[in-house]
Amino acid sequence: MNRKQMLMISTMALTLSMGRTTWMDPLRATPIANKQNTVPIKEDLLHVLGLSSEEDIYIAQYNGLSLADIAQANKVDVQKVIELQLAELTEQLNLRLSSGSITPEQYEAQRAELPEIIIKSVYAM
C-alpha cells in the first residue's frame, strides 16, 4: 500500500471515529444554538463526482487518485466536494451535540478542525 493510500485510509478512519472513544463522557452536553452556517445536504458524493457507485471511488482511490483528482477528471469543482463533506461532517457533529454524546467544548474543537481534515483528505495529503 503506498503512502497516499495509507494516509487516505487513516484520515477516513480518524474522521469516522471522532467522538467514539474518549469523548464518550458520562456528562451530557446542553444544547446550544448552532452558530455555524451550514449548507443543507442536497447531494451525495457520488452525484457530485459524477460517479455511479461507491466502488468507482474505492477503485480510483486504490489506484492512487485523490477525491480532488477524481473531481478534476470529471470536470467538477473540487470546492463542491469539500463543501459537501464539510456539511455532512458538521451535521454528524450537530447530532452528537444534540444527543449529548459530546460537550459544547468538544463540539467547537472538533468543528474547528473539520476544514483542515477535509482538505487533507480530499487532496490525499
Side-chain angles (χ1 to χ4, degrees):
M1 191 178 294
N2 70 31
R3 184 177 173 187
K4 258 186 164 179
Q5 291 169 338
M6 183 60 84
L7 180 62
M8 178 196 62
I9 291 169
S10 299
T11 302
M12 289 172 53
L14 172 68
T15 302
L16 292 173
S17 66
M18 285 178 64
R20 294 184 187 254
T21 56
T22 59
W23 299 328
M24 296 304 281
D25 191 313
L27 299 174
R28 296 292 176 198
T30 55
I32 60 170
N34 182 7
K35 298 176 185 176
Q36 305 292 332
N37 293 328
T38 58
V39 178
I41 302 169
K42 296 178 184 173
E43 301 175 292
D44 69 355
L45 187 59
L46 289 175
H47 179 74
V48 169
L49 291 174
L51 300 175
S52 59
S53 73
E54 289 183 16
E55 186 175 348
D56 294 338
I57 294 174
Y58 174 80
I59 290 169
Q61 289 184 319
Y62 184 80
N63 290 321
L65 296 177
S66 67
L67 290 177
D69 296 331
I70 298 167
Q72 290 170 347
N74 291 314
K75 297 178 179 28
V76 174
D77 182 9
V78 176
Q79 190 60 37
K80 264 186 105 167
V81 175
I82 292 169
E83 289 170 2
L84 174 65
Q85 289 195 325
L86 183 60
E88 288 175 346
L89 291 176
T90 299
E91 181 60 27
Q92 287 180 11
L93 281 178
N94 291 341
L95 291 172
R96 289 179 181 153
L97 178 65
S98 65
S99 73
S101 66
I102 60 174
T103 66
E105 293 79 17
Q106 290 169 326
Y107 172 88
E108 291 300 328
Q110 291 177 32
R111 177 67 179 92
E113 294 173 342
L114 282 181
E116 181 181 353
I117 291 169
I118 291 168
I119 289 169
K120 284 183 177 181
S121 174
V122 167
Y123 287 98
M125 298 168 43

